[in-house]
Amino acid sequence: MSLNDKNLDRLINEALAIEAEEAREAGALGFMARILVQATMPHKKTEKAVFQRQNGDFNLSITSHPKIGLPYGTIPRLLLAWLTTEAVRTGERELILGESMSEFMRQLGLVPTGGRWGSIIRLKEQTKRLFMANVQCFVDNSEQFSGKNLRVADGYHLWWEPISLDQKALWQSTVLLDQAFFEEVIDRPVPIDMRALQAIKQSPMALDIYAWLTYRMSYLKHHTEIPWEALQMQFGADYAHDGQGKRDFKKNFLKHLKKVHVVYPDANVSEGGYGLVLKPSKTHVKRIK
C-alpha cells in the first residue's frame, strides 16, 4: 500500500521544517544506541524466547523474562532514543523519567490514551519489556570472535499512576542504565533528528531504516549494493526465508523506505539489480566529534 495523500502531505510538511533548521539549533538533536542500529528489535509481538538478527559478521540476540516477553514495535525504539539522548546529554547513568506518566509521554511524543489498546498500557508494557531485556552481541569471522553481554537497565523504579495521569508521584520515576550499555551509548552514539522520528513513528521498520541510513551515510565512501538477503537478516527476522518471504520483505522495506526518503531526502538510495544501492550522501545529522 502506498502512502496516501494525507500522510504524504504531513510527512512533506514535517520534512520541510526539518530541512529549514538544523536539529541542534532546533533543540531536536537526539541519539540512538549504535548496536541497536546495526541490528534491531522485533517489529511485532513474538512468542520466541530468543530474538536474533545479523548484519554481516555482527550478530545480536535479545532475551527477556518469559513472564514479561521481548520488546517490540515503535515504543521501545522511542524509549531507546530518549534514554540514549538523555545519557549523552547528562553524562549520567541514572535518568529521571518524569514525575508523571503524561509528562514522560509528552517527552516521547505520545498522546496518552486509555483502554486495553491505548498508549498508556502499551507504554507500561513495553517499558517493562525493554528494561528487562538482555542483549548479546558479537562479531564472528576468520580473524576474530569478540562481543559483549549487556542489558539496558541495571535498576528501575516506575511510579506511574494511569488513573490520574498528571498527578505527581511520591517519588520520581527513574532508571539506572547498565554500566556496559551506558558506556556503549555515550562512546559512539548515532546522531538522529528527533523530529524525523516523530514524523515516522507509526512504523518500527521506518524508524530502523532511518537510524541505519543516517549512521551508514556518516561513513560511506563508495557506491555499495547490499543484497536483499543480507537486509532481510538485519531488518526482517519476522519474514520467512523462502522465496515468498524474501519478496514480501523487499516490498515492505521499499514501502517504508519511501517514508524515510520524505524526511531524509538527501539519502541517495535506490533499488539495484540484486539489492539496495547506497551512494555517498549527506548524513541527516552530522556526527559528533
Side-chain angles (χ1 to χ4, degrees):
M1 182 176 65
S2 61
L3 288 174
N4 61 43
D5 291 341
K6 184 178 179 181
N7 286 338
L8 183 59
D9 287 344
R10 176 182 61 82
L11 283 176
I12 289 173
N13 289 335
E14 288 165 340
L16 290 173
I18 290 170
E19 287 183 349
E21 187 176 16
E22 288 289 341
R24 192 192 309 274
E25 295 173 357
L29 178 64
F31 300 92
M32 183 60 87
R34 184 163 49 103
I35 60 167
L36 292 169
V37 168
Q38 294 172 302
T40 59
M41 295 179 289
H43 291 147
K44 58 185 179 181
K45 188 174 183 179
T46 175
E47 301 302 329
K48 294 179 180 178
V50 181
F51 182 79
Q52 301 179 68
R53 283 199 169 165
Q54 183 177 348
N55 180 359
D57 294 335
F58 180 82
N59 297 266
L60 177 139
S61 68
I62 305 174
T63 60
S64 188
H65 192 285
K67 185 178 178 180
I68 302 298
L70 293 165
Y72 64 90
T74 62
I75 289 179
R77 288 162 167 83
L78 296 175
L79 276 167
L80 267 176
W82 185 89
L83 292 169
T84 304
T85 301
E86 284 296 290
V88 174
R89 184 182 70 83
T90 64
E92 300 289 340
R93 284 178 62 201
E94 186 171 28
L95 305 176
I96 299 173
L97 275 62
E99 295 179 334
S100 69
M101 176 176 279
S102 59
E103 178 186 337
F104 185 54
M105 294 185 79
R106 282 192 291 269
Q107 293 183 56
L108 296 178
L110 299 174
V111 177
T113 57
R116 182 181 178 186
W117 306 112
S119 60
I120 298 168
I121 296 297
R122 290 189 292 116
L123 175 61
K124 291 182 67 177
E125 177 190 359
Q126 292 301 328
T127 302
K128 291 178 186 177
R129 288 171 178 258
L130 182 65
F131 286 178
M132 294 194 69
N134 294 296
V135 180
Q136 291 182 311
C137 51
F138 64 91
V139 174
D140 186 13
N141 55 40
S142 60
E143 298 177 355
Q144 64 170 316
F145 177 69
S146 60
K148 63 175 63 176
N149 302 325
L150 50 85
R151 55 186 183 273
V152 173
D154 219 14
Y156 35 86
H157 296 283
L158 309 177
W159 298 96
W160 293 325
E161 176 50 66
I163 296 175
S164 178
L165 291 177
D166 288 304
Q167 180 181 343
K168 299 298 183 182
L170 181 61
W171 305 106
Q172 288 180 318
S173 295
T174 60
V175 56
L176 179 65
L177 299 181
D178 173 68
Q179 181 67 41
F181 179 79
F182 175 72
E183 292 173 357
E184 171 69 27
V185 300
I186 66 171
D187 179 33
R188 289 185 63 194
V190 177
I192 55 175
D193 192 314
M194 298 297 282
R195 295 167 299 176
L197 258 63
Q198 291 304 316
I200 57 176
K201 67 184 178 184
Q202 299 303 319
S203 165
M205 180 175 278
L207 291 172
D208 289 344
I209 294 170
Y210 166 74
W212 171 69
L213 275 180
T214 198
Y215 171 62
R216 190 69 187 263
M217 293 306 185
S218 70
Y219 65 85
L220 185 70
K221 302 299 182 184
H222 306 287
H223 173 290
T224 302
E225 186 165 357
I226 304 174
W228 289 114
E229 291 80 3
L231 288 169
Q232 184 177 354
M233 293 178 71
Q234 181 180 354
F235 291 97
D238 299 327
Y239 293 83
H241 288 279
D242 56 17
Q244 185 60 49
K246 292 177 182 178
R247 287 190 292 272
D248 290 343
F249 166 75
K250 176 182 174 181
K251 180 180 178 181
N252 202 37
F253 185 97
L254 290 172
K255 178 183 76 172
H256 292 295
L257 178 61
K258 289 181 181 178
K259 301 176 184 178
V260 174
H261 232 159
V262 174
V263 297
Y264 181 13
D266 287 328
N268 194 347
V269 296
S270 59
E271 184 179 351
Y274 58 87
L276 186 71
V277 175
L278 307 183
K279 296 180 181 179
S281 309
K282 176 184 177 183
T283 190
H284 200 229
V285 181
K286 293 179 181 178
R287 295 186 69 175
I288 306 302
K289 299 293 185 180

